[in-house]
């Protein structure tokens, strides 16, 4: 990856982190529908830049929120990890979703 591409990706990752931090802030308490919409926006931005693990986690979080009773904090924590992930393939996304599932059943 060229230096300018790396710089652009760093900016995208920083923006994703900023949006995620805003969701986690105490003043940012939202209804499940608002939270789902904000997570969807994160997923859309990630998709535009090929950040597959972020996209897959965002989709899983939205499904969990739609089913109700989802501990959103688990997904938000893993979204932070996914944003920083150097792998951008389906397997990385599946592994992160699986790690949320493990935490839910623990």
């Amino acid at each position: 990856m060229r230096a300018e591409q790396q710089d652009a990706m760093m900016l995208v990752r920083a923006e994703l982190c900023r949006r995620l931090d805003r969701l986690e802030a105490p003043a940012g308490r939202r209804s499940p529908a608002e939270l789902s919409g904000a997570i969807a926006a994160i997923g859309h931005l990630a998709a535009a830049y090929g950040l597959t693990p972020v996209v897959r986690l965002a989709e899983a979080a939205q499904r969990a929120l739609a089913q109700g009773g989802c501990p959103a904090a688990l997904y938000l924590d893993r979204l932070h990890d996914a944003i920083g992930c150097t792998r951008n393939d389906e397997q990385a996304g599946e592994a992160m979703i699986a790690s949320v599932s493990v935490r839910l059943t623990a």
Side-chain angles (χ1 to χ4, degrees):
M1 188 179 291
R2 294 187 330 232
E4 61 190 39
Q5 288 174 321
Q6 288 177 334
D7 290 346
M9 191 56 73
M10 283 178 38
L11 290 174
V12 170
R13 290 177 194 271
E15 174 60 19
L16 289 168
C17 284
R18 186 183 64 75
R19 291 181 184 195
L20 194 52
D21 289 344
R22 219 177 331 142
L23 285 178
E24 294 175 318
R29 300 277 183 229
R30 301 168 190 248
S31 71
E34 291 172 322
L35 183 58
S36 182
I39 290 172
I42 288 170
H44 291 303
L45 178 58
Y49 289 92
L51 299 172
T52 303
V54 178
V55 174
R56 296 299 171 250
L57 271 171
E59 292 168 348
Q62 288 178 274
R63 284 191 302 273
L65 283 166
Q67 293 172 358
C70 165
L74 288 176
Y75 284 97
L76 298 179
D77 286 345
R78 294 308 289 164
L79 276 167
H80 274 293
D81 295 339
I83 290 167
C85 185
T86 57
R87 287 185 48 196
N88 290 315
D89 55 33
E90 289 291 336
Q91 292 81 11
E94 290 173 15
M96 291 196 177
I97 292 169
S99 73
V100 171
S101 296
V102 167
R103 291 177 186 182
L104 284 171
T105 59

